[in-house]
Amino acid sequence: MVTQTNLPHRFGGFMNLDDTRRFEELDPGQMLNEIDQLPDQLETAWELGRHFPLGEISGVQQVILAGMGGSAIGADLLAAYALPMASVPVIVWRDYDLPAFAAKPGTLVVVSSHSGNTEESLSALEAARDCGAQVLAITTGGRLAQAAGAKGAPVWQFEHPGQPRAAVGFAYGLLLAVFTRLGLIPDPEDEFIGTLAVMRSQQEGIRANVPVVNNPAKRMAGQFMGRWPTILGADILEPVARRWRTQIAELAKAVAQFEALPEADHNMVAGVMNPEQLLGSTMVVFLRGTTCHPRNQRRADATRQVMMLEGFNTDAIEAVGETRMAQQWSALHFGDYTAYYLAMAYEVDPTPVEAIEDLKRRLAT
């Protein structure tokens, strides 16, 4: 029987998620510290972005946010927040080159790469130069900083020695500053300050020193053990569902998927009958927020009922806070802690991503 403190792991024994000494052994790269400091990182990024140079960027009529992985998730989060009020179209580009419409006058291409050496991002930078688009680079350095600087584009260079996925506060906060200073969205400073307060308040109940019996993020990790998690979100929480999936993959080295509402109700909800023997090994979590569209809130409840009746394990997370940004970031932070505790439960180091590095080596040959 699983106790409130101990969770079964893959070797048939138990992992004590209240054993923080074991956390230190499994986490030499201090990923937990990165998660703990996320509100501070987000605040630092906003402050940096208020003072970094914008160069001669002007007359923006559309924005393309080019990046991959940890850099792109910040763009997803920003786009979800900004689109309901942005004065120009915004797209997130995860690929080589750029779409043909980038050549239109007034295009701003923001190229983000944590390392500065992401090949897809460098390709997007080159395409932006060739089509005459305005460019802004966000990076810690590398070839992107060099190439963008050589072209006279502003380079917003920040310091972060950790993994790209742990720099999501920089990836979002700097973009938020870009959009604000260019007048593409109303000034969100009050909402931003409130968001930091909500994150820090929620954090007190889900830190590693909070025991399982009182820690909902640890208990959620327990529900994911030995199961295939599926995370659903809508509106402001759609990219948060993606973030949960990527964090589960990269921290816990575990399989997961994400789906978006209302789209999932037009296809995914039909695939709930087979294979019957696997349905009990699923865990479907609905990210809910009071700032989401009322119809999407109803869809989350109705979709959960359908899946429960078909034998799926389900749960729901209520995003904390009163504003769209606060609910987005509180739900994201909860998911980061959950993925970390899942890594601890599986007894894997949450920092290295050898599968990704191996793939890069294969592509380099």
Side-chain angles (χ1 to χ4, degrees):
M1 179 177 180
V2 179
T3 70
Q4 293 175 325
T5 301
N6 300 322
L7 296 174
H9 66 59
R10 55 186 171 169
F11 301 117
F14 290 89
M15 171 64 192
N16 182 356
L17 285 185
D18 292 336
D19 184 357
T20 55
R21 290 185 180 179
R22 181 60 175 150
F23 285 14
E24 293 173 3
E25 296 172 358
L26 292 170
D27 183 22
Q30 298 188 320
M31 181 60 71
L32 179 59
N33 187 57
E34 297 270 22
I35 298 171
D36 284 341
Q37 293 183 358
L38 182 55
D40 296 339
Q41 182 190 111
L42 190 58
E43 185 173 26
T44 297
W46 171 251
E47 290 301 321
L48 288 174
R50 294 174 66 179
H51 301 100
F52 277 152
L54 279 172
E56 299 180 358
I57 295 174
S58 62
V60 176
Q61 298 178 26
Q62 60 181 2
V63 181
I64 300 173
L65 305 175
M68 303 297 298
S71 299
I73 194 64
D76 285 329
L77 294 161
L78 187 281
Y81 172 75
L83 278 173
M85 53 188 159
S87 59
V88 299
V90 182
I91 73 159
V92 178
W93 184 254
R94 284 182 169 86
D95 209 337
Y96 297 91
D97 304 325
L98 286 173
F101 62 76
K104 292 182 179 179
T107 299
L108 170 63
V109 180
V110 182
V111 183
S112 297
S113 168
H114 183 272
S115 67
N117 298 316
T118 308
E119 63 179 72
E120 298 93 334
S121 301
L122 292 169
S123 171
L125 175 66
E126 193 69 19
R129 185 203 67 171
D130 292 345
C131 73
Q134 301 180 85
V135 173
L136 186 150
I138 297 178
T139 183
T140 63
R143 292 160 58 194
L144 177 60
Q146 297 171 0
K151 294 175 173 60
V155 177
W156 286 19
Q157 190 164 337
F158 62 94
E159 295 183 7
H160 182 261
Q163 289 285 332
R165 62 188 181 276
V168 65
F170 284 113
Y172 179 91
L174 293 173
L175 286 176
L176 185 68
V178 171
F179 275 63
T180 302
R181 290 176 59 191
L182 291 176
L184 304 180
I185 59 173
D187 190 336
E189 185 164 13
D190 289 344
E191 186 176 0
F192 182 79
I193 293 172
T195 295
L196 297 176
V198 167
M199 292 177 70
R200 288 166 175 149
S201 176
Q202 173 188 250
Q203 190 172 31
E204 293 309 307
I206 56 178
R207 285 181 180 271
N209 62 350
V210 178
V212 169
V213 65
N214 297 320
N215 192 321
K218 288 182 178 180
R219 296 200 302 273
M220 180 61 72
Q223 292 194 83
F224 286 164
M225 282 292 296
R227 291 171 169 168
W228 182 304
T230 300
I231 318 300
L232 283 91
D235 302 333
I236 198 78
L237 299 178
E238 178 181 339
V240 178
R242 178 193 283 267
R243 170 72 175 186
W244 277 51
R245 191 266 292 169
T246 60
Q247 288 291 81
I248 290 170
E250 294 190 67
L251 271 64
K253 317 303 186 279
V255 66
Q257 72 183 78
F258 82 97
E259 299 284 347
L261 288 170
E263 174 64 21
D265 284 351
H266 295 268
N267 38 67
M268 183 211 73
V269 74
V272 296
M273 296 175 62
N274 295 299
E276 291 185 27
Q277 63 270 28
L278 295 183
L279 299 186
S281 298
T282 61
M283 187 66 213
V284 184
V285 174
F286 293 81
L287 305 182
R288 300 185 78 260
T290 57
T291 62
C292 292
H293 192 287
R295 293 294 295 174
N296 281 332
Q297 294 182 51
R298 290 191 63 183
R299 282 182 177 276
D301 293 339
T303 307
R304 184 181 179 189
Q305 291 174 8
V306 168
M307 302 191 79
M308 287 175 62
L309 290 173
E310 293 295 340
F312 286 79
N313 302 293
T314 72
D315 205 344
I317 294 295
E318 299 290 339
V320 179
E322 300 296 325
T323 67
R324 296 172 64 249
M325 190 188 297
Q327 292 191 1
Q328 183 182 62
W329 278 88
S330 65
L332 181 147
H333 208 196
F334 189 103
D336 279 11
Y337 274 107
T338 296
Y340 180 85
Y341 297 138
L342 184 60
M344 296 299 97
Y346 280 131
E347 296 194 298
V348 297
D349 186 338
T351 298
V353 280
E354 181 55 34
I356 295 175
E357 296 305 320
D358 178 64
L359 184 59
K360 289 179 180 178
R361 289 191 291 268
R362 291 172 183 269
L363 291 170
T365 59

